[in-house]
Amino acid sequence: MDQLLKDIRFGARTLLRSPAFALVAIVTLGLGIGANAAIFSVIDGVLLKPLPYASGERLLLIRQSAPLARRPDIGVSIKELYEYRAQTKAFDAVVEYHQMNFDLLKRGEPDRVDTGVVSHNFFDVLGLRPILGRTFVAADDAPGADAVLILSHSYWQTKFGGDPTIIGQIFQMNDRPHTVVGVLPDVPQYPQENDVYMPASACPFRAAAEKRIVENPRAFSILTAFGRLRPGVSRPAASADVEAICSRFTHDRPSVYRPTAGVTSTTLGLGDELTRNARPLLLILLGTTALVLLIACANVANLMLARLLRRDREMAIRSALGAGRWQLARQLLVESVLLSLAAGVFGLFFAASTLSMLTRFVARFTTRTGQIAVDPGLLAFTLVVSVVTGLVFGTLPAVISRADLAGAMKPGTRAGGTTTMRRRLQNGLIVAQVAVSVVLLAGAGLLLASFYRLQKVDPGYRAERVVAAEAFPNFSKYTTFESQLRFYQPVLERLQSEPGVVSAAVTNAVPLSTSAPNTNPFQIQGRPGDDPDKRPAADVRVVTPDYFQTLGIPFVGGRPFRGADRADAPAVAIVNKAMTRYWDGRDPIGTRVSFDNGATWATVVGVVGDVRQFGLERGSVAQVYVPLAQSGGLNGRFLVRTQADLAGAARLIRDAVHAVDPNMPVENVRTLDELRERYLATPKLTAMLLTVFAALAVLVTMAGLTGVIGTSVSQRVQEFGVRMALGATRERVLGQVLGQGLTLVAAGLVAGLAGSLLLTRVLSTYLFDTQPTDPVTFASVVGAFVIAGTAATLGPALRATSVDPMLALRAE
């Protein structure tokens, strides 16, 4: 320990005498360590820490699917839930969940709340205890029980300012008074974030569906079901148990569960489901930051090798005074660990400053971000990485630190004499750095190319100066379709009469919002060979006549809807180009389609262009548009194209809605440009993150190349002087030095491109219209490295051409 302390004190003094070297090494390593620490903190909070639920490892999701019908998740119905609950031997409790949207009234501005509808023991199974009040009890879930609510922590804070007296307060929802009985702790909610929770029996839609489960066992098949394993039961045993239950009820009801669908059931871990979308991307980012740290280590090792060349005389004197090889190596290792620990402190601050940004990014993929924090685990990880990093980049200089006493102590010998092994080692480190940087830059280039092509996609509509807003009729007040029309029609008329409003419309879905396809099988009248089991499906959109004008969707043929297309008029429909393929080349205009097995038929009166409704990267699905007056009802979204201020248009929508119904919540008021930007935010952030890491790797690599070539030039001053004295031109010397640097870059490019062809395939899931072997991207990477390598080598090369031959010869 005494010798180690002496080495530490001497190492600190040595580094303080070389502040420029120490600063470059600390910043280089600190960025690599900090990036890894930040990503580790996210992975630890999202993937590694146990779920913040009691016995979280015993919580399993029951997933039903129909693989033969290509439906990976068909949900669980009320009847199926009861059968799992009654027959299971693997679970000690099975609970249900589904989400609805209801209007919360009598507390200021009307508010449409995301409502989790759950079993009374839902929170008991999760092991969650409220911070205020209580959770549900069995009596709350009894038919006809008084309606009660539990607030989520975030909703309690944002809507009520954390009011501690909230328990017992009464709100109006679904035309009934609801009493707040509890507030949840601040934990990730499974399977979705909600504002409030209610017992299952209080949901009017579920209660209505439960009356039909005898004649329709698949009624209300939107439930998420999960349970807690009994002690001693394994996951495979639980999967076998639910599969056996599923097999029994599908076998007993072949008319409901067609064999052609292949309905089956299995179990999945709750933690895995919470992080399913985030895990691949987080592992890619971890691999990326690990490569950046390796590059930083190689770069600092190169710096230490170059510095070691200037310390040959020091090492020789220490060896002459009795220091053994292990003592010399230990001193160099101590210096490298001191550097890496200082870099670890810098990296920790860097990680802490970027953690909130990464958390917001990861929140797009999982709700499990509440446990991401600067905690003792992050400190321990940073310490371990710092020490290991110091040992990694300090090992090579320490191993080759054998002192050449005769050469180093010879009078007149210049410090910095090198050996073939050292030179090859430095060159090898540069080649490795270039190779890894090529892999990172190729990955970043592919993501950037993909993002560029994605944002250039024509969505099929014109988004500029269009504002969208949701206004869903309260089902307890607007009980009939006619009552819904009495709300929408006057609001639409008010909007259309406002100055500056070009056009306005109502629809059941806004492009690039969070809606999913509303697919329905259909049949074409007179089409031969119609098989009910093999009918195609189309997404059904409900619109008002000015919808196509408001969004700028072009007509390919036929006519738009008219005011005369009322409920008492013949049914009409408009199809998009993608749907016309089902007419086998014939003109669909004038033909008739049915979505209710032939009970009613609608005449196709027009064909419009395709709209990328559900994603820019997804091809347009078959869509059919029906007029609102003939639809039977909808949850409406208003669309307003305006020439006036967009914020003013948002106010116009709210004012028009509240003029007709003051208790109608108006939610999600956004422009279509904002919706597009929100949709593009995830691929954009992913590409930018990888680009930042790749740029950092390239900068560090080029700095290392400059250092190696600069060191080589300083050691060859006499050689260049002699060459020029014997007739070599400055251009030839310049070419030799540039050739040395570009040879290293070329070797690294060859290795890096070979690695890229293999590793960039990992990104194929995140690429749009871009192949993992995209030639334009790889050509750009090669060009970028040639330019960067030339720039990095040019400075030392120009210094080599400035050598005075006479001074060099005198020194020789």
Side-chain angles (χ1 to χ4, degrees):
M1 288 301 298
D2 181 62
Q3 289 297 319
L4 180 60
L5 289 175
K6 289 180 179 178
D7 286 342
I8 291 174
R9 288 194 293 270
F10 179 77
R13 291 198 303 271
T14 301
L15 293 175
L16 289 174
R17 287 197 296 269
S18 304
F21 162 77
L23 181 62
V24 170
I26 289 171
V27 171
T28 301
L29 286 174
L31 291 173
I33 293 173
N36 278 269
I39 295 298
F40 168 79
S41 181
V42 173
I43 288 178
D44 183 43
V46 173
L47 302 181
L48 301 181
K49 287 180 179 176
L51 290 173
Y53 310 133
S55 304
E57 72 284 353
R58 291 168 52 203
L59 298 175
L60 297 183
L61 172 72
I62 298 175
R63 171 65 56 78
Q64 289 191 157
S65 60
L68 298 183
R70 298 181 181 179
R71 297 177 63 188
D73 184 2
I74 60 172
V76 175
S77 70
I78 301 173
K79 177 69 172 176
E80 292 163 350
L81 172 79
Y82 290 163
E83 299 203 10
Y84 284 122
R85 189 177 286 168
Q87 299 179 35
T88 182
K89 298 177 181 178
F91 296 94
D92 57 18
V94 176
V95 294
E96 65 175 285
Y97 165 93
H98 72 274
Q99 187 185 68
M100 303 295 289
N101 297 108
F102 297 121
D103 295 347
L104 193 66
L105 307 177
K106 306 303 184 185
R107 282 297 292 247
E109 186 80 12
D111 195 14
R112 191 162 187 83
V113 291
D114 293 331
T115 306
V117 184
V118 299
S119 306
H120 73 271
N121 57 338
F122 180 87
F123 299 108
D124 296 331
V125 170
L126 289 179
L128 292 181
R129 296 291 177 262
I131 58 174
L132 292 176
R134 64 173 176 85
T135 55
F136 300 133
V137 296
D140 295 327
D141 207 8
D146 292 337
V148 293
L149 294 176
I150 293 176
L151 306 184
S152 71
H153 188 275
S154 59
Y155 190 69
W156 175 59
Q157 288 287 342
T158 56
K159 182 68 174 180
F160 305 108
D163 181 6
T165 66
I166 194 69
I167 303 300
Q169 295 190 29
I170 299 175
F171 305 92
Q172 195 76 8
M173 180 189 287
N174 302 338
D175 205 25
R176 295 178 62 190
H178 287 63
T179 304
V180 176
V181 297
V183 176
L184 294 178
D186 187 14
V187 296
Q189 301 174 54
Y190 179 82
Q192 293 165 293
E193 296 287 335
N194 290 289
D195 300 318
V196 302
Y197 289 84
M198 66 165 51
S201 65
C203 174
F205 299 102
R206 186 195 181 283
E210 188 162 4
K211 298 176 182 178
R212 307 193 309 271
I213 63 175
V214 174
E215 62 268 22
N216 181 12
R218 284 289 293 162
F220 210 75
S221 55
I222 63 170
L223 301 181
T224 296
F226 67 92
R228 184 177 56 224
L229 284 179
R230 297 183 187 274
V233 177
S234 66
R235 288 192 180 186
S239 293
D241 181 54
V242 299
E243 172 57 22
I245 297 171
C246 179
S247 296
R248 284 195 290 271
F249 62 66
T250 55
H251 178 269
D252 294 341
R253 308 180 187 110
S255 61
V256 177
Y257 304 95
R258 296 180 182 274
T260 54
V263 174
T264 185
S265 182
T266 188
T267 61
L268 302 168
L270 229 62
D272 295 337
E273 281 300 289
L274 272 172
T275 59
R276 175 168 48 90
N277 294 327
R279 183 180 292 106
L281 185 60
L282 287 179
L283 295 179
I284 289 174
L285 290 177
L286 180 63
T288 300
T289 54
L291 292 177
V292 171
L293 182 57
L294 284 177
I295 291 174
C297 287
N299 190 63
V300 175
N302 242 333
L303 289 175
M304 291 195 71
L305 281 172
R307 186 166 174 265
L308 184 61
L309 297 177
R310 295 190 290 271
R311 296 176 67 185
D312 273 354
R313 190 180 296 275
E314 172 199 331
M315 293 299 170
I317 293 174
R318 289 166 64 84
S319 181
L321 294 176
R325 188 178 182 189
W326 161 242
Q327 289 175 294
L328 298 178
R330 186 182 63 197
Q331 178 61 53
L332 293 174
L333 283 173
V334 166
E335 291 180 18
S336 65
V337 171
L338 286 175
L339 277 175
S340 65
L341 288 174
V345 174
F346 173 77
L348 195 59
F349 282 103
F350 176 80
S353 65
T354 59
L355 207 53
S356 61
M357 179 193 69
L358 283 173
T359 301
R360 289 193 300 272
F361 172 68
V362 175
R364 297 176 177 273
F365 303 94
T366 177
T367 61
R368 199 184 170 190
T369 57
Q371 293 175 280
I372 300 174
V374 178
D375 56 14
L378 176 60
L379 299 178
F381 174 83
T382 306
L383 176 62
V384 170
V385 169
S386 299
V387 172
V388 171
T389 298
L391 295 176
V392 167
F393 76 76
T395 298
L396 290 178
V399 167
I400 67 168
S401 63
R402 184 189 303 274
D404 180 8
L405 286 177
M409 299 297 289
K410 186 183 297 183
T413 300
R414 290 178 58 89
T418 187
T419 66
T420 301
M421 183 178 70
R422 286 181 181 178
R423 187 165 53 248
R424 288 177 177 173
L425 184 57
Q426 285 183 296
N427 291 344
L429 287 173
I430 289 296
V431 170
Q433 284 179 263
V434 171
V436 176
S437 297
V438 167
V439 173
L440 293 179
L441 194 60
L446 289 172
L447 287 177
L448 286 174
S450 172
F451 174 70
Y452 174 80
R453 290 165 182 158
L454 186 62
Q455 70 174 353
K456 291 295 183 182
V457 167
D458 180 7
Y461 62 91
R462 294 188 294 109
E464 65 277 4
R465 310 205 65 78
V466 178
V467 178
E470 296 177 353
F472 299 161
N474 189 326
F475 75 95
S476 61
K477 180 178 180 180
Y478 298 91
T479 57
T480 65
F481 173 53
E482 289 72 20
S483 63
Q484 290 186 18
L485 286 180
R486 287 196 296 270
F487 165 73
Y488 285 117
Q489 291 292 358
V491 174
L492 202 55
E493 290 170 3
R494 282 176 176 271
L495 290 173
Q496 291 170 336
S497 64
E498 291 289 345
V501 172
V502 177
S503 61
V506 175
T507 181
N508 62 339
V510 176
L512 300 185
S513 62
T514 57
S515 61
N518 179 26
T519 54
N520 291 272
F522 69 93
Q523 61 186 120
I524 302 172
Q525 191 176 43
R527 182 171 180 173
D530 179 61
D531 184 348
D533 292 331
K534 297 181 180 180
R535 286 174 182 165
D539 174 52
V540 180
R541 298 292 98 188
V542 178
V543 300
T544 51
D546 286 341
Y547 173 82
F548 303 103
Q549 177 189 352
T550 303
L551 286 187
I553 300 174
F555 267 81
V556 178
R559 67 168 178 88
F561 294 134
R562 300 168 181 161
D565 296 322
R566 296 185 299 270
D568 56 354
V572 292
I574 293 174
V575 301
N576 69 343
K577 286 180 63 177
M579 189 170 171
T580 60
R581 66 179 180 270
Y582 297 114
W583 274 261
D584 300 324
R586 294 181 293 115
D587 186 358
I589 295 177
T591 63
R592 300 207 299 171
V593 295
S594 175
F595 286 86
D596 54 8
N597 204 30
T600 59
W601 294 90
T603 302
V604 178
V605 297
V607 178
V608 295
D610 292 334
V611 173
R612 294 187 181 242
Q613 183 87 27
F614 308 105
L616 294 175
E617 78 285 0
R618 298 173 60 179
S620 298
V621 301
Q623 286 187 308
V624 60
Y625 300 89
V626 297
L628 172 61
Q630 298 178 354
S631 67
L634 83 167
N635 284 329
R637 281 86 168 170
F638 286 98
L639 292 168
V640 175
R641 178 175 293 278
T642 179
Q643 294 176 337
D645 175 54
L646 292 175
R651 288 193 299 272
L652 285 179
I653 296 175
R654 284 194 171 94
D655 291 345
V657 168
H658 290 158
V660 176
D661 186 347
N663 289 325
M664 177 73 73
V666 181
E667 305 284 344
N668 294 323
V669 182
R670 297 186 180 94
T671 67
L672 293 196
D673 284 328
E674 287 175 339
L675 287 174
R676 182 185 174 92
E677 288 301 315
R678 285 166 62 92
Y679 185 85
L680 290 171
T682 297
K684 179 180 180 180
L685 285 173
T686 305
M688 293 306 297
L689 272 176
L690 198 58
T691 300
V692 168
F693 291 136
L696 178 62
V698 173
L699 287 174
V700 170
T701 299
M702 292 303 107
L705 177 62
T706 301
V708 167
I709 301 301
T711 301
S712 174
V713 167
S714 66
Q715 294 163 359
R716 298 171 64 190
V717 169
Q718 290 90 351
E719 174 195 335
F720 292 136
V722 171
R723 285 178 178 274
M724 286 189 286
L726 295 176
T729 62
R730 296 184 185 274
E731 289 75 14
R732 180 159 185 166
V733 172
L734 180 70
Q736 285 181 328
V737 179
L738 284 174
Q740 179 186 355
L742 292 179
T743 298
L744 298 178
V745 170
L749 275 172
V750 172
L753 290 175
S756 298
L757 293 174
L758 297 175
L759 297 179
T760 52
R761 297 183 185 278
V762 177
L763 297 175
S764 58
T765 305
Y766 302 95
L767 299 180
F768 168 74
D769 197 25
T770 304
Q771 295 298 320
T773 55
D774 182 46
V776 175
T777 299
F778 280 84
S780 301
V781 169
V782 171
F785 268 95
V786 170
I787 294 172
T790 302
T793 312
L794 191 58
L798 291 175
R799 286 201 305 274
T801 63
S802 64
V803 172
D804 187 336
M806 296 306 296
L807 293 177
L809 289 174
R810 289 194 189 102
E812 187 66 24

